[in-house]
Amino acid sequence: EDAAEETNEIFRFRHNMLLRFSNISGQDGLFASANRPLWFISERGVPTALSHRMRYLAAGTPRPVKAFCSGLKHGHFLTIHDRIGRVGSQRLTVFGGLSDVFSNYGLFPGGGIYARKIPLGVTVRRVSLINDSGISSSMHPKYVMLISRELEVDQSHLDDDGLSSEERERAKAEKEAEKTRRQVEADLGGFDVEQEWVEEIEREDCFQIDQAFGGAPPIHQAANEVWLVDAANGWKVLDRYELGQFEHAMTLKVAPLTNVEQETNGPSATSTDLSSGNGENALFIAVGTGHVDQDGEDVSSKGRVLLFEVKKSSNEKTDEMFSLSLAYEKDILLGPVTSLSCLSCENKNRLVVGAGAEVTVEQWGSGRLTQVGFFHANMQVQDIILFKTFFLLCDAYDSL
């Protein structure tokens, strides 16, 4: 009898746990009806397992999904869940292909993190969600981006100096006469004139280019912009702000800053007490930039801090329109702004700026930023992470 029971246990009937499916959002593969249901699909020729959503399933049972069918129209599929308890309910769920939001991008309903490509035609440097109920919603989330695009600058104007051959010869003769006069004065005065002429010799204004060898080629320049986009509307660009020439977008932070009014009655201005609730938080989009002009890094580095507000308006069709409004800008002469953080302390939110080898704490009030604290680092500040009132700083040499 024991041998017969062991034989029956070995050859006990089991339902098929691997079920084929086809044409679900353009995908074919296998569905594993195990204690943790899985989807097996081919991702670039490699098998990939995705977890099924367990929202309506009887978790912990041997087979939460008892049956599966994928032969419905429009890529729909049907699942029958395990009964909960001896006398419980058994749910039949029809899935409309994939989730309603991402059905066009081939994402399966399940756990895990998924990625999809959104071609914007530019390089996205930074992106941040505007987590404000008055601006973003679950149906229309708004994002702010720092982007850059490559431009070809035409230099055909350098192919010719705009002078005729006679004017060019006359200018060269005048230059040689002036050089001879200065050389005679230098010989009589006993000093060397060559170093005075080096800049003028290098920057020759009279030239002639042989077009047979080609003209001046176009050069590449980067144009940086700040974008406000609506993710639910095909990532439509609602508004944009173009940065200056040779100005590079470095960092981005969406932060609520406390408006701290300054008392100007006495010689030393002090901030008002906010314990009574007079100080209000205003949401700003802080952008840090750095300047690298045509002279390269031979000039001193500098940057800017830009504070934007998102303005909301309605048109005749009562559609809400959002735009970026520049509220304030501050020149930073310490170096390019590479880090922006929000410091919350004593019921006040302040902006922490990392520029060059300096860390400054900026306070918003009276429509401008005022420095209220600083720290001297040894090298270029790369990033700053805040934990309560502790600063975790990393630089270009000393690490953390």
Side-chain angles (χ1 to χ4, degrees):
E1 294 180 358
D2 295 340
E5 290 180 359
E6 292 179 359
T7 303
N8 293 335
E9 184 70 19
I10 295 173
F11 294 102
R12 180 175 295 176
F13 173 76
R14 297 184 61 184
H15 292 279
N16 185 18
M17 300 181 67
L18 284 178
L19 307 172
R20 288 192 61 183
F21 67 89
S22 61
N23 196 22
I24 296 182
S25 296
Q27 295 282 353
D28 299 336
L30 296 174
F31 177 76
S33 179
N35 57 353
R36 180 66 177 174
L38 298 173
W39 301 82
F40 292 97
I41 62 172
S42 175
E43 181 70 21
R44 296 183 180 181
V46 179
T48 303
L50 304 176
S51 300
H52 185 74
R53 183 162 41 197
M54 300 287 288
R55 182 180 301 175
Y56 305 113
L57 305 185
T61 58
R63 290 189 64 195
V65 179
K66 302 292 291 185
F68 170 83
C69 177
S70 64
L72 305 180
K73 293 183 179 180
H74 307 296
H76 296 183
F77 61 96
L78 181 146
T79 60
I80 300 178
H81 301 174
D82 195 3
R83 189 183 301 276
I84 303 175
R86 292 186 177 181
V87 183
S89 61
Q90 190 171 20
R91 185 184 299 272
L92 185 146
T93 305
V94 178
F95 291 88
L98 307 177
S99 64
D100 296 335
V101 178
F102 303 107
S103 59
N104 297 327
Y105 300 95
L107 296 181
F108 277 81
I113 300 176
Y114 305 97
R116 60 190 175 105
K117 185 177 180 180
I118 305 170
L120 297 176
V122 295
T123 301
V124 179
R125 302 295 182 180
R126 294 287 190 276
V127 60
S128 180
L129 171 68
I130 304 178
N131 192 11
D132 185 83
S133 59
I135 301 173
S136 296
S137 63
S138 59
M139 299 299 295
H140 289 275
K142 307 295 189 306
Y143 289 86
V144 60
M145 296 180 179
L146 298 182
I147 65 97
S148 66
R149 58 162 57 93
E150 293 293 330
L151 302 177
E152 286 191 354
V153 180
D154 186 19
Q155 296 191 112
S156 59
H157 63 282
L158 299 178
D159 294 342
D160 190 5
D161 55 7
L163 301 177
S164 62
S165 58
E166 294 80 5
E167 293 174 341
R168 191 177 297 112
E169 291 297 332
R170 189 183 309 115
K172 289 182 178 181
E174 292 176 357
K175 194 174 186 66
E176 288 295 332
E178 181 68 18
K179 183 177 180 181
T180 303
R181 186 185 64 82
R182 290 194 179 187
Q183 184 64 50
V184 172
E185 292 178 355
D187 294 340
L188 295 176
F191 59 88
D192 189 6
V193 76
E194 291 298 329
Q195 298 196 3
E196 296 183 7
W197 276 81
V198 63
E199 182 177 357
E200 298 183 24
I201 294 174
E202 291 178 350
R203 301 192 177 184
E204 181 66 65
D205 295 330
C206 300
F207 58 88
Q208 187 176 9
I209 297 178
D210 188 355
Q211 294 294 329
F213 296 99
I219 61 174
H220 293 273
Q221 288 186 1
N224 291 256
E225 297 179 357
V226 183
W227 281 9
L228 177 66
V229 299
D230 186 359
N233 195 12
W235 295 86
K236 178 183 177 182
V237 180
L238 303 178
D239 195 10
R240 67 187 69 195
Y241 179 86
E242 185 176 355
L243 299 179
Q245 189 179 15
F246 305 111
E247 186 176 14
H248 298 260
M250 305 291 291
T251 183
L252 170 70
K253 182 66 177 180
V254 179
L257 300 181
T258 305
N259 186 13
V260 181
E261 297 294 339
Q262 301 289 332
E263 295 180 355
T264 58
N265 296 330
S268 60
T270 58
S271 60
T272 59
D273 185 12
L274 299 181
S275 59
S276 59
N278 294 328
E280 297 180 353
N281 290 337
L283 185 68
F284 289 100
I285 300 173
V287 177
T289 68
H291 290 273
V292 179
D293 58 12
Q294 66 272 17
D295 294 328
E297 296 182 358
D298 293 335
V299 297
S300 59
S301 301
K302 58 182 180 179
R304 281 199 304 170
V305 174
L306 307 175
L307 295 183
F308 294 92
E309 290 181 316
V310 179
K311 299 294 185 180
K312 181 171 62 173
S313 60
S314 300
N315 56 12
E316 297 178 356
K317 299 180 181 179
T318 66
D319 294 334
E320 292 184 342
M321 305 293 292
F322 295 90
S323 61
L324 289 173
S325 175
L326 180 62
Y328 179 75
E329 59 177 321
K330 182 176 183 178
D331 293 330
I332 304 297
L333 303 179
L334 302 173
V337 180
T338 55
S339 176
L340 292 173
S341 304
C342 182
L343 173 63
S344 298
C345 181
E346 299 177 352
N347 297 324
K348 302 176 185 178
N349 294 335
R350 299 181 176 91
L351 188 66
V352 179
V353 179
E358 300 287 332
V359 179
T360 61
V361 180
E362 305 285 342
Q363 183 171 271
W364 174 254
S366 302
R368 61 189 180 92
L369 288 175
T370 304
Q371 180 178 333
V372 295
F374 66 92
F375 173 76
H376 296 288
N378 294 326
M379 293 292 291
Q380 171 75 39
V381 176
Q382 299 296 322
D383 199 5
I384 300 174
I385 302 297
L386 300 183
F387 175 71
K388 295 184 178 179
T389 56
F390 293 93
F391 286 51
L392 181 62
L393 183 146
C394 64
D395 61 22
Y397 182 78
D398 294 327
S399 188
L400 296 179

